[in-house]
Amino acid sequence: MTCRVVLHKLADMYGVSDLEEALPVDLVPVKSVHVEVCQNASSTRHREEIKEHVTKLLHRQQVSYGDMNITEFDEPYLKEHVKWISICDTELEGSGQKQAIDLCQAGLHLHVFQLSTDGPAMEELEDEDMAAASHWLLPAADFDGIWDNLVFDSSIKSQLLQYASTTLLFSDCKVDSNIISWNRVVLLHGPPGTGKTSLCKALAQKLSIRLSDRYHYGQLIEINSHSLFSKWFSESGKLVMKMFQKIQELINDQDALVCVLIDEVESLTAARKSAVNGTEPSDAIRVVNALLTQIDQIKRYPNVLILTTSNVTEAIDLAFVDRADIKQYIGPPSPPAIFKIFHSCVKELMRARIIDPAQQLLDLRGLEVMRFIENDATKLSHRLKEIAFKSEGLSGRTLRKLPFLAHALYVKTTPVSLEDYLSALSDAVDKQFKEREELADT
């Protein structure tokens, strides 16, 4: 396919007449492309058969401009057996710029999977009247789409995928862990509401999809360490041992990829401080030591990954920090990241026809101004850019709520024009900062 044909396709996508001068694009000979294929829950066809049909479809498609989702199919076979196809993570490497990818020349890595709709189960310890953890079978419908909707300023998503790949490579090549050490532990730390826990869950989901040819299914065990240490001191470390015995049973199944999520891991430090201050000293130490010992024991298994989060950086126990292979700070998003978050929210409201889809926003590529003739689309995109800069300092959790609050507080009719909605969103941002000031003054 020629570059000119690609440009015409992109011009149609953006609704402009001449994209060639405004946006020079080369058809990039990418070596490999990951394609995730969600198989319908009712389909019983073999994965290899579905891969053949999807490959033919992508070769007919010929080109992908960055990430691309396909949800509608002309071919009856795909209509019956495939829910959606996603060409993904094309911008995780390099500068983050979108590229026109030649699908006929690229190596297509297809990952076919089916989503579990069972929801979380509660893991209860024997003879105990409380749940030790939540347990998901992966890939789970509960986590569908989280990975794509998480926006960070750093390339943390790419780094985590590469980290997981390296842990498997070292295990497969039987690298002596007594010579080169790796613990299969990831620590994400930073203020609340920045997406740490969501990223852990999304990573577990992503790995269960990417490794679907290697592992038949994935397991996610989410432990709330705050609850663990605040309620179980009286039972010492034996309850921690019971909990990890259940995890060990899952790890023993070599067909399963097991991800253990420990939220609010700084509770480890709270237990240590209790010991130092003389509050239940021996029992607190036993609880912490039991957990660290169990982590040390399960790290030798190739099919396990331990994902942890902390909201209080200075409170993280040094004994645990030493065990983390990756220690990544996750902070509030920058204006470019905020723009991407708001942009995705506006697109979703257009899809739902809450915002009139007649008007469109242009993707400003991380706030780089594209050389288009000024029109309504670029004016509205720059308006959204201004709102993104004004929103700096808000957490990702807050930013995701603002599109709802903008409609609830300031929109009178539905569907609303994009211009009016952006005004409402701007007002919602102003209100958010005003409320924070009022709370700070009380």
Side-chain angles (χ1 to χ4, degrees):
M1 176 177 289
T2 67
C3 183
R4 181 175 294 276
V5 173
V6 174
L7 290 169
H8 283 308
K9 282 179 172 284
L10 300 181
D12 291 339
M13 181 188 306
Y14 281 107
V16 294
S17 59
D18 186 3
L19 192 59
E20 189 164 359
E21 292 183 2
L23 183 62
V25 176
D26 291 324
L27 193 58
V28 179
V30 178
K31 291 183 179 180
S32 62
V33 175
H34 287 282
V35 181
E36 297 177 1
V37 182
C38 183
Q39 185 175 354
N40 283 329
S42 59
S43 173
T44 57
R45 295 301 177 95
H46 195 274
R47 289 178 178 177
E48 294 304 318
E49 181 180 313
I50 290 178
K51 287 181 181 181
E52 291 179 7
H53 285 265
V54 172
T55 300
K56 292 177 181 178
L57 171 66
L58 295 178
H59 285 170
R60 292 195 301 270
Q61 184 76 28
Q62 296 184 313
V63 64
S64 172
Y65 183 57
D67 292 1
M68 180 176 69
N69 293 317
I70 305 174
T71 57
E72 297 181 0
F73 309 100
D74 294 329
E75 183 184 344
Y77 180 93
L78 294 176
K79 281 184 177 180
E80 181 179 357
H81 298 288
V82 174
K83 186 176 182 180
W84 49 258
I85 299 170
S86 178
I87 298 173
C88 51
D89 302 337
T90 59
E91 298 174 39
L92 288 178
E93 303 293 342
S95 63
Q97 295 293 319
K98 291 184 177 180
Q99 299 174 326
I101 300 169
D102 188 342
L103 296 176
C104 296
Q105 298 298 321
L108 301 178
H109 296 281
L110 273 63
H111 313 282
V112 181
F113 64 95
Q114 291 176 298
L115 292 172
S116 170
T117 58
D118 292 340
M122 304 305 295
E123 289 290 344
E124 296 183 354
L125 300 179
E126 295 179 4
D127 304 323
E128 298 299 327
D129 189 25
M130 63 178 66
S134 299
H135 179 192
W136 284 269
L137 183 66
L138 300 177
D142 288 355
F143 307 138
D144 185 28
I146 293 181
W147 178 270
D148 296 329
N149 290 321
L150 287 171
V151 179
F152 301 101
D153 293 295
S154 67
S155 57
I156 180 60
K157 293 199 291 186
S158 176
Q159 293 172 10
L160 289 175
L161 286 177
Q162 185 59 40
Y163 165 77
S165 174
T166 300
T167 62
L168 289 173
L169 174 66
F170 275 43
S171 297
D172 291 345
C173 295
K174 301 187 185 304
V175 174
D176 190 339
S177 60
N178 293 318
I179 299 175
I180 299 177
S181 177
W182 70 99
N183 294 317
R184 304 179 187 279
V185 178
V186 173
L187 170 62
L188 303 181
H189 59 93
T194 52
K196 300 182 297 297
T197 303
S198 295
L199 179 55
C200 288
K201 293 177 179 179
L203 177 63
Q205 175 93 338
K206 175 68 73 171
L207 292 176
S208 69
I209 294 171
R210 286 291 173 87
L211 303 175
S212 56
D213 288 336
R214 180 189 183 99
Y215 299 107
H216 293 171
Y217 59 97
Q219 305 269 14
L220 174 62
I221 309 298
E222 181 182 13
I223 302 167
N224 188 311
S225 63
H226 177 74
S227 174
L228 176 72
F229 292 110
S230 64
K231 296 179 180 178
W232 293 357
F233 281 162
S234 61
E235 296 295 327
S236 187
K238 69 178 183 179
L239 296 178
V240 177
M241 298 289 290
K242 285 184 179 181
M243 179 179 63
F244 273 87
Q245 284 174 2
K246 286 183 171 289
I247 294 174
Q248 183 67 58
E249 293 174 3
L250 300 176
I251 296 173
N252 288 337
D253 182 357
Q254 295 301 306
D255 289 332
L257 173 68
V258 180
C259 295
V260 180
L261 170 56
I262 306 177
D263 214 6
E264 300 180 11
V265 76
E266 67 270 13
S267 296
L268 289 170
T269 300
R272 297 269 183 170
K273 287 182 178 178
S274 295
V276 172
N277 295 333
T279 306
E280 302 182 88
S282 59
D283 206 63
I285 291 176
R286 281 197 295 269
V287 171
V288 176
N289 289 344
L291 181 61
L292 296 178
T293 299
Q294 291 302 311
I295 289 175
D296 289 341
Q297 289 183 358
I298 66 175
K299 72 179 184 182
R300 69 178 184 269
Y301 292 89
N303 60 326
V304 65
L305 187 64
I306 301 170
L307 308 170
T308 68
T309 72
S310 175
N311 292 333
V312 188
T313 306
E314 62 273 13
I316 305 174
D317 193 289
L318 291 179
F320 181 83
V321 171
D322 287 342
R323 287 165 170 79
D325 299 324
I326 289 183
K327 296 171 277 287
Q328 176 68 44
Y329 174 76
I330 306 292
S334 68
I338 295 172
F339 177 87
K340 292 180 180 179
I341 292 172
F342 282 159
H343 190 276
S344 67
C345 293
V346 168
K347 287 174 62 178
E348 173 60 18
L349 292 176
M350 284 183 171
R351 184 202 63 79
R353 297 190 175 277
I354 292 175
I355 297 178
D356 188 346
Q359 292 177 292
Q360 297 291 329
L361 283 167
L362 289 175
D363 183 352
L364 293 186
R365 294 185 170 195
L367 305 188
E368 291 184 12
V369 180
M370 292 162 37
R371 288 175 285 150
F372 286 106
I373 298 174
E374 281 291 325
N375 55 31
D376 289 341
T378 54
K379 289 177 182 177
L380 292 172
S381 294
H382 285 295
R383 174 63 172 144
L384 184 60
K385 181 179 73 171
E386 294 170 357
I387 298 172
F389 272 98
K390 185 168 66 171
S391 303
E392 187 173 11
L394 299 177
S395 70
R397 180 183 299 158
T398 299
L399 293 169
R400 291 287 179 184
K401 290 190 296 185
L402 281 174
F404 167 81
L405 294 175
H407 191 283
L409 298 175
Y410 301 107
V411 174
K412 305 300 182 184
T413 60
T414 300
V416 60
S417 71
L418 180 53
E419 184 174 3
D420 288 344
Y421 182 79
L422 293 182
S423 295
L425 182 60
S426 179
D427 290 341
V429 172
D430 292 337
K431 182 176 175 59
Q432 189 69 34
F433 280 108
K434 182 178 179 181
E435 290 175 349
R436 289 175 57 168
E437 292 177 359
E438 292 173 348
L439 288 172
D441 292 338
T442 58

